[in-house]
C-alpha cells in the first residue's frame, strides 16, 4: 500500500512527530518533524519526544525555571522579579 517509511527495516513502518535533539541529552527543541520510527514513544537517535530543551547546543542544560538571582551569594535577592534560568541536573 506504499505506506512503509523504511522498507529496509522491518521494525519501522510509520512516521511520527519528534523534535531534533542536536546535543544528545534526550531533550529536543524547535518544531516537530515527521521521522520514521518504531512507534510514537521511541524516538530514533538524534530526536526526542519533547521540545523542552532550553539550551539545544549544550547537553549539560535542558530545563528552565523562573528563579530569583542572588548576585552576591548571600542568600538574599534585591529584586522581586524572577528571571528565567536554564540549567541541567542542578541549578
Amino acid at each position: 500500500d506504499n505506506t512503509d517509511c523504511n522498507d529496509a527495516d522491518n521494525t519501522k513502518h510509520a512516521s511520527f512527530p519528534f523534535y531534533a535533539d542536536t546535543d544528545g541529552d534526550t531533550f529536543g527543541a524547535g518544531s516537530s518533524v515527521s521521522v520514521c520510527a518504531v512507534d510514537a514513544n521511541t524516538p530514533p537517535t538524534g530526536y526526542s519526544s519533547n521540545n523542552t530543551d532550553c539550551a539545544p547546543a549544550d547537553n549539560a542544560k535542558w530545563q528552565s525555571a523562573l528563579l530569583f538571582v542572588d548576585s552576591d551569594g548571600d542568600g538574599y535577592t534585591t529584586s522581586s522579579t524572577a528571571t528565567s534560568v536554564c540549567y541541567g541536573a542542578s541549578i
Side-chain angles (χ1 to χ4, degrees):
D1 65 2
N2 199 29
T3 60
D4 193 343
C5 64
N6 186 345
D7 208 27
D9 186 341
N10 67 355
T11 65
K12 299 175 183 174
H13 53 79
S15 293
F16 302 94
F18 292 108
Y19 302 91
D21 176 18
T22 56
D23 59 8
D25 62 4
T26 72
F27 295 88
S31 299
S32 67
V33 292
S34 185
V35 180
C36 187
V38 174
D39 59 42
N41 299 313
T42 310
T45 301
Y47 294 92
S48 174
S49 58
N50 66 63
N51 69 341
T52 59
D53 197 337
C54 59
D58 183 348
N59 67 358
K61 297 177 183 177
W62 62 87
Q63 58 186 332
S64 62
L66 288 176
L67 303 170
F68 295 98
V69 178
D70 178 14
S71 298
D72 62 5
D74 64 0
Y76 297 93
T77 63
T78 59
S79 174
S80 61
T81 305
T83 300
S84 181
V85 176
C86 182
Y87 61 98
S90 62
I91 298 173

